[in-house]
Amino acid sequence: DGESVTGWIDGARHRILADEGPDGTADATGLRRAFFDRHGFVVVRGFAGVSECEQMIAEMTKLATERWNPERAAVFRTDSEQADTTTDYFLRSAEGVGFFAETKAVDGNGALLDSVTKVEALNKAGHGLHNEPGVFFDYSRSERVARLVRGLGWEAPVLPQSMYIFKQAGIGGEVTSHQDSTFLHTTPRETCLGLWLALHPATLTNGCLWVRPGSHREPVRRLFERNPAYFAASGDDTGVARAPNPMLFRALGDDAAVSWEGGVPGDGSLGALLAAGFVPVEVGRGDLVVFPGTLDHLSLANTSDSARHTFQLHLIEGPEAGVTWGSANWLQYPDGKPFPRL
């Protein structure tokens, strides 16, 4: 016997067994999926060990030191100017590794401030770290990740995107309210799944994740799409002018009930977030937060003296599950190359 819950990924009812066991058992997987499907997120404690977290931090430091040239650094932002500041450099990072600075780490000419080191200036690196041989590849393609994802109901998952987020001490900017499926859209149904791994403890003071439980049942409010006027322009002597912005936000409906879309509720205070239905998700090093692409989530600025690094994977159902990647999504592998399978 036992109650049942509707799965987010497939809409099917699945039963929760009454005699759920401890973590690592089949019954615990059922409990995890039930919480995920009901509330739109679940925390898996101790998903990665301390040594693995330290390896990821060390590998990212090495990559940034050796590969990033911060002259006229590209910055990353999630506010109302996100579409206006998307560049070809960003688009080219789909399959490789691009580096993006914090807005507070550069001057008006895009040069790094003297007050920060090269690594301390970074907001994020992405979006193909899972294609890089080493610890990011090994973690992303591990049986541990595949087993977790399939335990939540995904049948044929593929991996389009990975990111390393620095959330730097003192200057790590806020990430405004959004749904990941805005950027990682699939048809005929949304199938994006985020795996948010804390490489440092994530707390209220250093910018932990905030989620709005139950919002995963809401529709996607807008899509971040390639601008046809930018990509269709030939750039030759036909006289067709290229639009200035490669990306546009397209509203999908009335989002008046979510007045903070692309921002934060009210004045951004803890009280305003709680009043809007958000809850903080404080986690320890190596803990994993898992949530679907329709969940409303955000994080506040890091005003503490402690960095809050995370490594994040975004998966979708693949073609074998009858799912198609959005042709207007910003992230496109060259020559129609398929995303790696789990």
Side-chain angles (χ1 to χ4, degrees):
D1 294 333
E3 58 182 309
S4 63
V5 64
T6 301
W8 179 86
I9 185 61
D10 54 14
R13 299 290 293 180
H14 58 94
R15 193 172 62 176
I16 310 167
L17 299 178
D19 54 345
E20 304 292 359
D23 284 353
T25 68
D27 287 348
T29 298
L31 252 188
R32 181 180 296 153
R33 181 173 181 185
F35 192 96
F36 172 88
D37 284 331
R38 279 178 172 162
H39 303 289
F41 74 102
V42 69
V43 177
V44 184
R45 302 290 180 185
F47 190 73
V50 171
S51 175
E52 190 172 21
C53 293
E54 291 177 345
Q55 289 177 47
M56 290 186 182
I57 294 170
E59 180 63 16
M60 179 47 61
T61 299
K62 182 174 183 290
L63 286 172
T65 301
E66 294 179 354
R67 296 194 191 180
W68 185 39
N69 180 0
E71 293 183 8
R72 293 193 61 80
V75 299
F76 182 76
R77 55 199 309 156
T78 65
D79 58 14
S80 59
E81 296 184 37
Q82 183 172 7
D84 295 340
T85 55
T86 299
T87 63
D88 286 338
Y89 176 75
F90 180 89
L91 298 174
R92 289 194 301 269
S93 72
E95 192 180 9
V97 183
F99 298 92
F100 305 90
E102 278 287 350
T103 57
K104 292 183 178 180
V106 298
D107 63 20
N109 295 317
L112 296 193
L113 300 176
D114 294 336
S115 58
V116 294
T117 67
K118 189 175 175 180
V119 175
E120 290 171 345
L122 282 167
N123 171 290
K124 79 169 183 175
H127 296 85
L129 286 161
H130 56 284
N131 296 319
E132 287 282 317
V135 64
F136 297 117
F137 180 100
D138 294 343
Y139 167 82
S140 303
R141 313 296 182 91
S142 67
E143 178 58 30
R144 171 183 28 155
V145 168
R147 186 168 56 248
L148 170 70
V149 171
R150 288 190 169 89
L152 294 173
W154 271 251
E155 297 177 356
V158 296
L159 180 54
Q161 176 176 278
S162 56
M163 305 185 297
Y164 190 105
I165 306 297
F166 292 84
K167 204 73 164 181
Q168 304 285 8
I171 63 169
E174 72 178 16
V175 176
T176 57
S177 161
H178 66 284
Q179 300 164 296
D180 288 342
S181 289
T182 290
F183 307 92
L184 307 167
H185 172 58
T186 59
T187 57
R189 55 195 170 97
E190 300 296 352
T191 63
C192 176
L193 179 69
L195 276 62
W196 194 98
L197 179 67
L199 304 182
H200 295 114
T203 68
L204 282 170
T205 57
N206 72 357
C208 71
L209 190 68
W210 285 73
V211 304
R212 187 159 59 87
S215 63
H216 64 307
R217 299 294 181 183
E218 298 172 3
V220 175
R221 297 185 290 273
R222 58 180 183 165
L223 293 179
F224 189 62
E225 295 184 327
R226 290 183 169 230
N227 181 358
Y230 182 91
F231 290 96
S234 62
D236 55 23
D237 59 0
T238 61
V240 178
R242 175 177 264 194
N245 298 328
M247 303 302 301
L248 298 170
F249 280 109
R250 178 167 66 91
L252 297 182
D254 181 11
D255 61 356
V258 185
S259 59
W260 54 79
E261 175 70 20
V264 294
D267 59 3
S269 65
L270 302 189
L273 268 62
L274 292 170
F278 286 87
V279 297
V281 185
E282 294 187 287
V283 295
R285 192 178 208 185
D287 291 347
L288 183 73
V289 189
V290 187
F291 50 95
T294 48
L295 183 77
D296 197 359
H297 62 287
L298 57 84
S299 66
L300 300 179
N302 183 358
T303 58
S304 77
D305 57 4
S306 299
R308 191 230 68 190
H309 293 195
T310 59
F311 180 55
Q312 303 177 25
L313 300 179
H314 289 105
L315 305 107
I316 60 166
E317 283 282 35
E320 293 180 13
V323 171
T324 301
W325 180 248
S327 60
N329 287 342
W330 81 264
L331 192 156
Q332 303 289 338
Y333 279 9
D335 302 319
K337 182 179 177 180
F339 299 134
R341 297 171 57 184
L342 260 65

